[in-house]
Amino acid sequence: MMAFTAEELIKIRRQLHQIPEIGMEEFETSAKLMAIIKSLPQTFLEIKTWKTAILVHVQGKNPSKTIGYRTDIDGLPVTEQTGLPYASKHAGRMHACGHDIHMTVALGILSHFAEVQPECNLTFLFQPSEEILSGGKQVYESGVMDEWMPDEIYAFHDNPQLPAGTIGCRLGTLFAGTCEIHATFTGKSGHAAYPHMANDMVVAGAQFVNQIQTIVSRNVDPIQAGVVTLGHFEAGTTGNVIAGKCQIDGTIRALTQVNNRLIQKRVEAIAKGVAQAFDCQLDLKLEQGGYYPVENNDQTTKAFIDFMQANPEVDFVETQPAMTGEDFGFLLSKIPGTMFWLGVDSPYSLHSEYLAPKEEAIFAGVKAMVAYIEHRQTEVFAAKY
């Protein structure tokens, strides 16, 4: 069997698009991927699984080093509204973040190197649960990658705002790190006419919300980026009852792990201060998991950008950082590597129920990454190590 053609990749993508599944429940997706992988020549391949993850190791001719390539495989709890003939068959589930595109590009790259043995080893990670539960962190910490641990690793995210097939990247941080905030303040409910006999958590919660707004404006270096958004505030049951409990939920976004930690510490200090000032109980959870900033390695990213800019078949653009989160940041905190954008040209944003990426991006992504890996392993990879 030859490497997948553009037409075959589009067919695969449409099959994957129809069967989106939530993180750590990607059973049908994983089975479909496994069937496709096993249809490839197996001469150079070894396969491992961990829960719904699949790892494929390609044995190189001179296996002193290993290049890694990661794709995510999960979907979102979104009801698709595209009207496409190959729309999701799973009610309330959709590949609204384009992971079907991600998987298909990975399969295209793998199909080439299953036919053409690489110089160095390659490790492909088909990773579950990027959207929730920090799947990359879970896979890494499980130890399943240890035997085939890459020396450097690459991944992309599709970008509806870029023309189809365009490669976008930058030195430094590509995506923000995230941390979820869950704060519950508990006081004492009571009658609206007798506030002295109650402990009003609407007032306590309001003070917390107001003080949180000072973190980025007064604690974060103004030339660096950070965002704290509190999107959920719930307290009370009716207008004439003082609320005895307030639940507030939000998110932190920062372009470096240092600033993410700084903001977390300030959130914690403010929450504790409000609890002390209002003599109430506090239950605070700050959940970062594996959603670290996607901080591209200087060495691998310079090599990647230099190659893409010099390749006449690639339309390359330098992009700005984005406040979106991606659990590839955890893997980059452990393994040097680079994440980039692949344009898919859609008027609808990631996570939209109307997202319909242009499929010509798939083969463009495959060609660009096959060429880069071949270049990196022979000309740059060997020279650097």
Side-chain angles (χ1 to χ4, degrees):
M1 176 178 178
M2 299 297 290
F4 292 129
T5 65
E7 292 75 19
E8 289 169 331
L9 289 170
I10 288 172
K11 182 179 178 181
I12 289 170
R13 180 259 164 166
R14 293 181 179 185
Q15 291 170 347
L16 291 168
H17 186 80
Q18 293 182 77
I19 54 171
E21 296 165 290
I22 301 303
M24 297 318 237
E25 299 176 5
E26 309 98 330
F27 304 110
E28 188 176 357
T29 302
S30 186
K32 180 65 177 177
L33 289 169
M34 184 66 81
I36 295 169
I37 292 164
K38 287 190 173 180
S39 75
L40 301 173
Q42 302 293 299
T43 308
F44 317 131
L45 305 189
E46 294 180 69
I47 301 170
K48 285 184 185 180
T49 61
W50 179 82
K51 296 188 177 179
T52 52
I54 300 173
L55 288 90
V56 184
H57 188 67
V58 186
Q59 183 70 29
K61 297 175 185 176
N62 301 300
S64 60
K65 295 293 177 182
T66 300
I67 295 177
Y69 188 86
R70 170 269 200 178
T71 180
D72 36 16
I73 70 173
D74 56 326
L76 284 163
V78 171
T79 299
E80 182 164 354
Q81 300 293 337
T82 62
L84 293 167
Y86 52 88
S88 171
K89 297 189 293 187
H90 293 175
R93 302 287 186 264
M94 180 185 173
H95 273 301
C97 203
H99 295 186
D100 51 336
I101 299 288
H102 300 185
M103 288 184 277
T104 307
V105 171
L107 290 168
I109 300 167
L110 176 59
S111 73
H112 172 83
F113 288 108
E115 284 283 341
V116 180
Q117 187 177 19
E119 290 296 321
C120 63
N121 294 331
L122 304 179
T123 295
F124 287 80
L125 169 59
F126 294 82
Q127 177 213 300
S129 197
E130 186 278 320
E131 298 289 350
I132 58 171
L133 303 176
S134 306
K137 183 173 186 286
Q138 289 195 57
V139 171
Y140 183 89
E141 293 182 343
S142 74
V144 70
M145 291 180 64
D146 289 356
E147 182 185 1
W148 299 337
M149 189 65 69
D151 294 286
E152 58 189 53
I153 192 166
Y154 297 85
F156 80 86
H157 204 296
D158 60 314
N159 188 330
Q161 296 176 316
L162 292 177
T166 295
I167 302 288
C169 194
R170 70 185 306 273
L171 290 166
T173 301
L174 189 69
F175 296 160
T178 70
C179 178
E180 303 310 304
I181 302 168
H182 306 287
T184 304
F185 297 94
T186 304
K188 183 181 178 182
S189 62
H191 197 291
Y194 304 102
H196 60 292
M197 298 177 66
N199 189 2
D200 192 342
M201 291 302 98
V202 168
V203 179
Q207 288 298 314
F208 177 71
V209 171
N210 284 335
Q211 291 183 42
I212 287 296
Q213 308 312 308
T214 67
I215 295 176
V216 172
S217 66
R218 288 298 175 266
N219 298 121
V220 175
D221 185 333
I223 66 171
Q224 300 186 36
V227 173
V228 185
T229 296
L230 300 176
H232 175 247
F233 188 116
E234 185 173 348
T237 55
T238 189
N240 63 352
V241 176
I242 291 172
K245 181 177 284 190
C246 176
Q247 175 69 42
I248 300 173
D249 303 288
T251 186
I252 297 167
R253 304 287 167 115
L255 293 181
T256 66
Q257 187 64 359
V258 170
N259 271 343
N260 203 304
R261 294 294 190 197
L262 167 66
I263 295 171
Q264 289 179 46
K265 288 180 180 178
R266 292 299 301 139
V267 169
E268 184 177 10
I270 290 170
K272 288 180 177 178
V274 168
Q276 183 176 11
F278 285 86
D279 192 24
C280 63
Q281 295 179 342
L282 167 67
D283 180 13
L284 177 67
K285 294 183 177 66
L286 298 174
E287 299 177 349
Q288 182 166 20
Y291 296 91
Y292 291 19
V294 176
E295 298 185 63
N296 281 336
N297 175 267
D298 286 347
Q299 182 185 13
T300 62
T301 306
K302 185 178 186 306
F304 179 85
I305 291 173
D306 287 349
F307 175 81
M308 294 300 171
Q309 287 178 326
N311 187 340
E313 295 188 0
V314 172
D315 180 14
F316 178 83
V317 296
E318 185 172 347
T319 55
Q320 295 300 308
M323 282 296 175
T324 47
E326 232 286 357
D327 80 346
F328 191 61
F330 179 84
L331 292 177
L332 289 183
S333 76
K334 303 295 183 181
I335 308 165
T338 299
M339 176 164 254
F340 60 96
W341 290 111
L342 176 65
V344 294
D345 190 16
S346 170
Y348 299 103
S349 68
L350 298 172
H351 293 204
S352 167
E353 66 270 34
Y354 296 101
L355 179 69
K358 289 190 176 177
E359 294 174 319
E360 55 262 40
I362 296 169
F363 200 61
V366 171
K367 288 197 302 180
M369 278 310 295
V370 165
Y372 174 71
I373 291 170
E374 288 182 336
H375 166 79
R376 182 70 173 152
Q377 67 183 359
T378 57
E379 298 183 22
V380 179
F381 192 82
K384 295 293 184 182
Y385 291 90

